[in-house]
Amino acid sequence: MEDWSKLSKKELINEIELLYFKLKKKDLVRIDKLAKESERRFTSILKSVNLVSIVLDIKGNIEFCNDYFLKITGYKQSEVLAKNWFDVFVPNNISKQIKEVFISAITDGTFVSSMENEIIDKRGSKIIIAWNNTLLKDTDEKITGVASIGENITDKRKAKIAVNQSEAKYYALFNHSPYGILIADSSSYYLDANKAMCQMLGLSHQELVGKHATDIVTPIEYKYINPALKTIQNDNTYQKEWEFKRKDKTTFVADVQVAKMPDGNLMAIVRDVTKQREAEISVRENEQRFRTIFEQSASGMCITGLDGKLIDVNLPFCDMLEYSKEELVGLHFNSITFPEDINIGNESIKKMLSLTTPKIAFEKRYLTKGGKIIWVRINTALLRDKENNPLYFITQMEDVSERVKTDQQLKISENKYKALVEQSLTGIYIFRKEGFLYVNNRFCEIFGYSEEEIMSSLKPTDVINQSDRSRAKENISKRLQGKVDSVRYIAKGKHKINQELWVEIHGTHISLEGEDVIAGTVLDITDRIKTEEKIRKINEELEGKIAERTKDLQDKITEIERLNRVFVGRELRMKELKATIKELKEQLGDQLIS
């Protein structure tokens, strides 16, 4: 080597550059050799480990992938090399956006060194990879791509999710269970308790944890604690009802189920059964009351199975049908039903079983042991359990034969009355102030309206002529106010087609189902009025003629009286003359004799 101290500055620079070139060339050969060896070893390592290895260029094209990557994705190397990563392994709906983010991060050097993401294998399944990424650069420090090594954590993630879900379910069950849950050690000291348990006891979580079983049960239960622990150690489970005490000194009964856990601790499920026990007592009391009512009822009662056979009957039921209890129990109800009415009971049962109705009432005929037919009013209900499954029928029965007989007689009477009213030649009505409640056919005929027209749109005064309407209103008001009970008057009616109409109205104030109404009759007297008018005119004519004749007669009578007076005077004078003559004769005769 020359003495560089004697060289000029320019010569020195030239010598350094020459030396650097020689060294650089030598190092480059060595470095290239080392790089190839390193790449071979690195490639060999990547092929032998269960790690995913890929190299992408700056556009996401796949330049390298190892065998493990191909194994887990199901592809062949020829199917992925030179293909774009985002077109093959990223879902189509997001590949474009992810590719843009990748290229942007490569370009500005912000690509993250580690991440987790999902890729899609050849079958379309998702694989979760945890990546470690390294940006690749050339000699000029220009980024040329990304080399990534990743771990397939799909199974780990699923396992973690499963564990998390399991823990979540456990804590959800523990914290939100409607039943109290206690975790205790083998000596019955409490390690944990859920919210429901704390609420049952009226204690906070802090107050409850650390307590012993004797701190939360009543003293009467103390003697059962150690035997219970021994049973749990031998059998791993235990169940008993315990009486607990709350913070406020009140008590409650709970069903306790204890299980030994794998870690040796004990888990107890505590269910407050106080209300259940009270309900059971209530049920027993209700059953006793029902039995008392059933046996002591004055009405016939029976319990019938779903098959229609009598399970139980009371004494009035037996008396009604003239059978003993032993004879009735086990019989099908159709065997004591009048044959023509069997279908009534069968249809009622079908309705109740089909959930159409929970109870039903009807009447049908039964046959007594002696063959007598009786009418029975039946009220029956279908009893179901908590799951709504049918259990049996409970039936109350009343002999209504007398009432049915009376109803039949009443119906006959009503039919007769209805026939009489409907066929009456007199109009019959019932109305309140606002409108009509009933009119018969004759009423409709009198005024020329249909029944529907009268009932739906006419007021009582609408069938009275305007000239007599105020009088009709006054009469209605008097009766409804109780001033008079009934009225009878003649008025001019209003016919639908305005033909002349006269009616005689009779109406009485009555109470109908608690409501003040007026009922009465209307008689069409138009013909009578017309006849009376004719008679009146004839009478007037007769009276005129009679007056004339009377005057003539009176004149004749006067003349007769005058003549009579003359005749009578003459007669008197004749009598007087005859008497005088007689007297003279008598006098003359006496004289002749003497």
Side-chain angles (χ1 to χ4, degrees):
M1 182 181 295
E2 299 178 7
D3 187 358
W4 287 357
S5 61
K6 297 178 180 180
L7 298 176
S8 64
K9 185 175 181 181
K10 185 176 180 180
E11 291 174 334
L12 180 60
I13 291 172
N14 289 335
E15 285 296 326
I16 291 173
E17 287 179 348
L18 179 61
L19 179 61
Y20 177 77
F21 176 76
K22 290 179 181 179
L23 290 174
K24 183 71 173 176
K25 184 177 180 181
K26 183 179 180 181
D27 287 342
L28 287 174
V29 172
R30 182 174 59 82
I31 289 170
D32 183 59
K33 184 178 180 181
L34 289 173
K36 288 180 179 179
E37 179 64 22
S38 175
E39 182 179 353
R40 184 186 65 78
R41 291 177 181 176
F42 178 72
T43 302
S44 176
I45 291 171
L46 289 178
K47 287 183 178 181
S48 62
V49 297
N50 289 332
L51 293 174
V52 174
S53 175
I54 60 170
V55 176
L56 307 178
D57 66 15
I58 59 173
K59 292 184 179 180
N61 297 317
I62 303 170
E63 295 183 341
F64 170 81
C65 62
N66 67 346
D67 292 343
Y68 181 70
F69 176 77
L70 297 172
K71 178 182 178 181
I72 66 171
T73 61
Y75 285 99
K76 295 179 181 179
Q77 195 173 56
S78 60
E79 293 176 317
V80 296
L81 287 181
K83 302 289 178 61
N84 191 275
W85 172 267
F86 303 100
D87 294 339
V88 179
F89 296 104
V90 177
N92 292 333
N93 60 328
I94 60 171
S95 62
K96 184 177 180 180
Q97 297 92 319
I98 299 297
K99 186 176 182 179
E100 290 175 355
V101 172
F102 171 83
I103 293 173
S104 175
I106 289 290
T107 302
D108 58 21
T110 59
F111 198 82
V112 294
S113 60
S114 62
M115 66 176 73
E116 291 182 8
N117 64 12
E118 294 178 344
I119 63 172
I120 307 299
D121 67 12
K122 191 172 183 179
R123 295 173 300 175
S125 301
K126 293 180 180 180
I127 301 174
I128 304 173
I129 307 293
W131 299 102
N132 284 302
N133 308 306
T134 302
L135 291 175
L136 299 176
K137 300 178 182 180
D138 61 12
T139 55
D140 295 328
E141 294 297 311
K142 183 180 178 181
I143 298 173
T144 60
V146 176
S148 300
I149 297 176
E151 180 185 1
N152 182 2
I153 61 170
T154 306
D155 292 338
K156 289 183 179 179
R157 179 62 62 83
K158 288 180 179 178
K160 184 177 180 180
I161 292 172
V163 169
N164 290 340
Q165 289 176 342
S166 177
E167 289 180 351
K169 289 178 182 177
Y170 168 77
Y171 283 108
L173 176 64
F174 185 80
N175 291 318
H176 300 292
S177 170
Y179 303 130
I181 302 177
L182 287 166
I183 306 297
D185 62 18
S186 58
S187 299
S188 204
Y189 283 92
Y190 298 119
L191 307 173
D192 200 0
N194 71 343
K195 185 178 179 180
M197 192 68 232
C198 295
Q199 290 175 340
M200 278 188 199
L201 296 169
L203 298 170
S204 66
H205 185 269
Q206 185 177 359
E207 290 174 323
L208 182 52
V209 171
K211 288 187 179 295
H212 189 264
T214 54
D215 295 322
I216 62 171
V217 298
T218 57
I220 196 171
E221 305 288 4
Y222 290 174
K223 61 183 177 181
Y224 300 112
I225 294 176
N226 287 332
L229 292 174
K230 185 178 291 186
T231 300
I232 295 169
Q233 293 300 325
N234 294 332
D235 301 336
N236 295 326
T237 60
Y238 179 80
Q239 181 176 2
K240 182 183 178 297
E241 286 188 1
W242 294 74
E243 187 178 50
F244 288 82
K245 58 184 178 183
R246 300 186 182 91
K247 186 177 181 178
D248 62 3
K249 308 302 181 184
T250 60
T251 63
F252 65 94
V253 178
D255 176 72
V256 181
Q257 297 183 25
V258 185
K260 186 178 180 182
M261 298 192 296
D263 60 3
N265 291 325
L266 311 177
M267 181 174 70
I269 307 297
V270 181
R271 182 169 59 92
D272 187 345
V273 295
T274 305
K275 291 183 179 179
Q276 180 180 326
R277 296 296 169 262
E278 291 174 351
E280 289 173 355
I281 293 171
S282 178
V283 167
R284 286 196 293 271
E285 291 175 347
N286 288 338
E287 287 178 349
Q288 183 59 41
R289 282 195 291 268
F290 169 76
R291 177 51 56 181
T292 301
I293 293 170
F294 185 83
E295 296 295 345
Q296 303 299 323
S297 173
S299 301
M301 294 186 72
C302 67
I303 299 173
T304 310
L306 301 179
D307 58 358
K309 292 183 178 180
L310 298 172
I311 298 173
D312 198 2
V313 295
N314 69 351
L315 184 59
F317 184 87
C318 298
D319 293 342
M320 187 189 307
L321 294 171
E322 301 174 356
Y323 286 93
S324 67
K325 183 174 182 178
E326 292 73 21
E327 290 174 319
L328 286 171
V329 171
L331 281 181
H332 195 284
F333 67 85
N334 282 342
S335 64
I336 52 176
T337 300
F338 187 70
E340 293 180 10
D341 292 350
I342 286 176
N343 194 49
I344 297 174
N346 292 341
E347 289 300 318
S348 300
I349 286 177
K350 286 179 183 178
K351 286 182 181 179
M352 286 186 284
L353 288 173
S354 64
L355 297 175
T356 304
T357 177
K359 57 184 178 179
I360 198 166
F362 56 94
E363 292 181 1
K364 70 173 183 176
R365 289 167 289 183
Y366 278 85
L367 290 170
T368 67
K369 186 176 181 180
K372 185 175 75 171
I373 300 173
I374 60 172
W375 277 94
V376 177
R377 174 71 178 175
I378 297 170
N379 287 282
T380 186
L382 175 59
L383 273 65
R384 296 176 179 271
D385 60 19
K386 292 180 180 179
E387 286 72 38
N388 209 33
N389 297 312
L391 297 174
Y392 50 82
F393 300 95
I394 179 76
T395 304
Q396 188 173 24
M397 308 171 72
E398 180 186 1
D399 185 346
V400 293
S401 300
E402 288 301 320
R403 196 261 298 157
V404 169
K405 183 179 179 181
T406 302
D407 288 347
Q408 289 173 341
Q409 292 173 344
L410 180 60
K411 188 174 182 179
I412 293 170
S413 176
E414 286 178 347
N415 289 336
K416 290 179 179 178
Y417 168 76
K418 186 176 181 180
L420 178 64
V421 169
E422 292 299 328
Q423 297 173 23
S424 173
L425 297 177
T426 303
I428 298 174
Y429 65 85
I430 300 174
F431 67 78
R432 58 166 75 92
K433 187 175 182 180
E434 296 80 10
F436 287 93
L437 298 174
Y438 171 79
V439 291
N440 71 345
N441 292 333
R442 180 56 185 154
F443 187 95
C444 299
E445 291 172 358
I446 290 172
F447 294 100
Y449 291 96
S450 68
E451 182 181 354
E452 182 179 357
E453 288 174 322
I454 294 172
M455 299 297 289
S456 63
S457 59
L458 294 185
K459 293 182 179 179
T461 54
D462 289 342
V463 294
I464 303 299
N465 191 278
Q466 188 67 39
S467 60
D468 288 335
R469 196 167 290 175
S470 59
R471 183 160 58 98
K473 287 181 179 179
E474 183 180 356
N475 287 333
I476 291 172
S477 179
K478 284 180 180 180
R479 281 173 290 175
L480 289 176
Q481 292 175 5
K483 293 180 179 179
V484 294
D485 289 330
S486 63
V487 294
R488 184 188 296 273
Y489 62 99
I490 293 173
K492 195 169 185 180
K494 183 181 179 183
H495 195 277
K496 184 178 180 180
I497 59 175
N498 294 321
Q499 67 184 32
E500 188 176 6
L501 177 66
W502 284 90
V503 290
E504 182 178 341
I505 300 170
H506 177 234
T508 302
H509 171 229
I510 64 171
S511 178
L512 181 64
E513 297 180 354
E515 183 180 9
D516 290 331
V517 299
I518 294 174
T521 60
V522 174
L523 184 63
D524 184 354
I525 60 171
T526 306
D527 292 340
R528 191 184 85 187
I529 293 294
K530 289 180 179 179
T531 301
E532 288 177 351
E533 181 65 19
K534 289 178 181 179
I535 292 172
R536 184 183 66 76
K537 289 180 179 179
I538 293 170
N539 285 339
E540 287 178 354
E541 291 176 358
L542 289 174
E543 286 175 357
K545 291 179 179 180
I546 290 170
E548 292 176 2
R549 295 291 299 275
T550 301
K551 186 176 183 303
D552 292 341
L553 290 171
Q554 188 65 43
D555 291 343
K556 291 178 179 180
I557 291 170
T558 302
E559 181 61 23
I560 291 170
E561 287 178 346
R562 186 186 64 79
L563 293 173
N564 188 47
R565 284 196 297 274
V566 172
F567 178 75
V568 169
R570 186 179 295 169
E571 287 292 317
L572 288 174
R573 286 194 295 273
M574 287 297 292
K575 286 182 178 180
E576 289 176 356
L577 181 58
K578 288 179 178 180
T580 302
I581 291 172
K582 182 180 181 182
E583 185 178 351
L584 288 174
K585 283 181 177 182
E586 290 177 351
Q587 290 177 1
L588 183 58
D590 291 339
Q591 290 177 2
L592 289 175
I593 293 171
S594 61

